[in-house]
């Protein structure tokens, strides 16, 4: 299986070195206080989903992705799928189930997020074959995952910049599971409604087989998305200022 991923996020990388200013309602915890961290990160998704520029936190719901390409050249699914100006939504309702590694000298960190309904909505273009059927079209799309269980794991280290310690992300990995995967592509087959409707029914009837083939590519795309979001905060805020004294 050959997978190629190209991803471009609408994320303004903010320079390091200036003191971060947390909103008054923003929750911070003492290092290694696991219960507090679970509540604080969940509250961040709930209350600050529009982003906090002062600490480098970009809007999380929706998270705008300017461009994302999935190219899969082998196996039952052989497609080129291009997304353009799509929004990843649903994270306002995210629940943080596990968080580890936020210590005084961090190396490995992990976070487990449950999103009740996560949707990727926006423009698409597709060409290729799905299982036994050819597919092509260009228009608007909606890919929705129910009970999307996302595991984020990354490694890194503290580095000194301008006399302060910042956490620098090295390797980042995302895995996910979902109890249901829905797909809807408008304007398939040059607007042939009968063919398009039948293809959408076929895709959703066979979602488990399709997701099995696309899962590595989607995980790779999620990896780039969440690495950019997490790194943006760590690049902006000195590590010790993320916590209460």
């Amino acid at each position: 299986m050959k997978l190629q991923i190209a991803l471009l996020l609408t994320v303004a990388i903010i320079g390091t070195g200036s003191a971060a200013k947390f909103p008054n309602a923003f929750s911070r915890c003492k290092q290694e206080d696991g219960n507090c961290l679970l509540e604080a990160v969940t509250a961040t998704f709930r209350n600050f989903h529009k982003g906090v520029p002062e600490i480098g936190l970009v809007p999380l719901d929706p998270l705008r992705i300017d461009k994302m390409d999935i190219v899969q050249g082998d196996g039952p699914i052989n497609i080129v799928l291009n997304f353009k100006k799509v929004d990843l939504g649903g994270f306002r309702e995210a629940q943080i189930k596990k968080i580890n590694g936020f210590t005084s000298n961090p190396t490995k960190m992990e976070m487990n997020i449950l999103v009740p309904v996560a949707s990727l909505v926006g423009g698409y273009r597709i060409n290729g074959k799905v299982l036994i059927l050819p597919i092509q079209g260009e228009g608007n799309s909606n890919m929705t995952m129910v009970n999307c269980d996302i595991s984020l794991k990354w490694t890194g280290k503290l580095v000194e910049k301008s006399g302060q310690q910042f956490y620098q992300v090295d390797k980042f990995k995302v895995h996910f599971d979902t109890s249901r995967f829905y797909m809807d592509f408008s304007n398939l087959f040059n607007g042939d409604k009968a063919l398009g409707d039948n293809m959408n029914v076929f895709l959703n009837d066979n979602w488990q087989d399709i997701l099995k083939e696309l899962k590595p590519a989607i995980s790779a795309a999620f990896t780039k998305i969440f690495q950019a979001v997490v790194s943006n905060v760590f690049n902006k805020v000195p590590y010790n200022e993320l916590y209460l004294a």
Side-chain angles (χ1 to χ4, degrees), residues 87-243:
D87 289 326
L88 180 60
F91 283 80
R92 183 177 182 177
E93 303 301 324
Q95 177 69 45
I96 308 304
K97 297 171 58 181
K98 181 172 69 174
I99 188 165
N100 288 320
F102 289 74
T103 64
S104 59
N105 187 22
T107 53
K108 298 179 181 180
M109 292 183 172
E110 64 177 320
M111 187 182 301
N112 186 245
I113 306 171
L114 179 64
V115 185
V117 181
S119 296
L120 187 69
V121 180
Y124 85 95
R125 181 173 61 201
I126 191 170
N127 189 57
K129 184 186 71 173
V130 176
L131 302 179
I132 60 173
L133 298 179
I135 185 171
Q136 65 89 15
E138 182 175 2
N140 294 317
S141 63
N142 185 330
M143 298 175 66
T144 294
M145 290 175 282
V146 178
N147 295 321
C148 189
D149 197 331
I150 304 172
S151 173
L152 315 178
K153 294 183 179 182
W154 65 89
T155 59
K157 61 184 179 181
L158 294 177
V159 297
E160 186 170 332
K161 300 178 183 179
S162 303
Q164 295 177 300
Q165 294 286 312
F166 291 82
Y167 182 83
Q168 180 176 286
V169 175
D170 180 18
K171 296 180 181 179
F172 205 101
K173 194 68 177 177
V174 174
H175 295 283
F176 77 95
D177 286 304
T178 179
S179 62
R180 188 67 168 88
F181 183 52
Y182 294 97
M183 293 159 280
D184 182 74
F185 296 97
S186 69
N187 201 47
L188 287 168
F189 306 107
N190 299 316
D192 188 311
K193 188 176 187 307
L195 287 177
D197 289 349
N198 287 336
M199 174 55 75
N200 277 307
V201 170
F202 176 81
L203 293 175
N204 286 286
D205 284 347
N206 295 277
W207 71 271
Q208 290 174 308
D209 292 332
I210 293 169
L211 182 60
K212 180 180 178 180
E213 295 297 320
L214 290 181
K215 202 170 188 179
I218 297 173
S219 293
F222 277 178
T223 295
K224 292 180 180 292
I225 292 168
F226 288 106
Q227 182 170 355
V229 172
V230 170
S231 295
N232 213 41
V233 175
F234 283 133
N235 288 340
K236 174 64 177 176
V237 185
Y239 187 70
N240 69 309
E241 293 185 17
L242 289 167
Y243 305 96

Side-chain angles (χ1 to χ4, degrees), residues 1-7 67-75 77-83 125-129 213-218 220-221 224:
M1 179 186 297
K2 296 181 181 178
L3 302 175
Q4 296 178 342
I5 310 294
L7 184 73
K67 186 175 184 290
M68 182 172 76
D69 299 327
I70 297 177
V71 180
Q72 182 156 326
D74 295 329
I77 296 180
N78 190 325
I79 61 170
V80 177
L81 177 56
N82 311 114
F83 293 105
R125 181 173 61 201
I126 191 170
N127 189 57
K129 184 186 71 173
E213 295 297 320
L214 290 181
K215 202 170 188 179
I218 297 173
K224 292 180 180 292

